[in-house]
Every structure is written in structure tokens, then in C-alpha cells.
Amino acid sequence: DAAVSFDPAKLAASSAKVEIDVSSFEIGDAETTKEVKGRDWFDAAKYPKAVFQSTSIKAGAAGKYEVAGKLTIKGKTQDVVIPASYRQDAGGQVFEGVLPIKRTVYNIGDGEWKDTSVVADDVQIKFRIVTAARK
């Protein structure tokens, strides 16, 4: 779910909140999907949502913005700045970007999976959000 209020002429009044239902993850393999939802990875039963809440949005180069906010995954909250692009199209607003994080900061991949030589610590969260056109 995403709640986006964005006006490039009124950045101070703009905001974004994105909630991801962690139990909705589908990895493509039933056993792997079950593992990823389990305690060592996302612990979906205890932490059902990953949440980003913006605190400020600043203009960058043409069509680019820096969205500062708080990212909470698995009960851990960190301040992040997300570089995002924005464009208006007939269907609404389109926001895209990539946020690099360290998975171990959020305790993603505990137990035997904590070893970063087995699963890399650097993860890129890629997103594309399309809002409906205002009527």
C-alpha cells in the first residue's frame, strides 16, 4: 500500500508512506518462500509490515528528488535518503528509484544466514510506484 501526496511546486507539503505486507512475498519456490517469511529472514508473523515514512522531499536534478525518511524492517528503524525520479503521465504520477541497504542492519538473515560470504550484505530495494490520476 502507498499513500503519496506529491506536488513538485509544494515539496514541503508533499509526503509518502509505503507499507509492504511481508507475508505477501512470493519467491517462486515454496520452500524458499517459507524460509524467507520465517524468523531468520523477515519474521512475517512477528513483523508483518515493512514501512517507509517520508520526513522531507527535496528537489535534485531535473525530475530527480531526494526523499528522506524512516525505513522500518523487522522492527528496526533507520533514517534513509532515497534518490527517486518523478514523471507525470496520463495515468498519474510515476516514481522510481533504488535504495541500497545493508540487510544485517535490519537483522535480515539471522542464524546461519548472518554470514555475508554466503548471502551478500548489500541489498538494493528497487521500486516503481504509479499513482492514479486526480479527478
Side-chain angles (χ1 to χ4, degrees), residues 10-65:
K10 298 177 183 175
L11 292 180
S14 297
S15 65
K17 182 175 184 178
V18 178
E19 292 185 346
I20 298 171
D21 181 358
V22 183
S23 66
S24 71
F25 289 175
E26 184 58 49
I27 307 304
D29 170 76
E31 189 173 320
T32 304
T33 296
K34 182 179 176 184
E35 180 73 25
V36 167
K37 292 177 186 180
R39 275 187 65 202
D40 285 347
W41 288 96
F42 286 94
D43 200 355
K46 188 173 182 181
Y47 305 103
K49 298 214 181 267
V51 179
F52 172 78
Q53 175 67 60
S54 69
T55 54
S56 70
I57 301 173
K58 295 180 181 171
K64 306 284 184 187
Y65 294 85

Side-chain angles (χ1 to χ4, degrees), residues 80-131:
V80 297
V81 177
I82 303 172
S85 66
Y86 160 78
R87 65 182 167 79
Q88 184 76 42
D89 74 10
Q93 298 173 313
V94 180
F95 305 90
E96 295 180 294
V98 178
L99 172 64
I101 66 165
K102 303 272 188 196
R103 69 175 175 84
T104 55
V105 167
Y106 297 94
N107 296 328
I108 300 169
D110 281 340
E112 66 181 288
W113 300 108
K114 198 164 194 143
D115 182 356
T116 57
S117 70
V118 176
V119 177
D121 195 21
D122 294 318
V123 175
Q124 294 198 14
I125 300 172
K126 297 179 181 180
F127 65 90
R128 181 172 195 268
I129 299 170
V130 179
T131 65

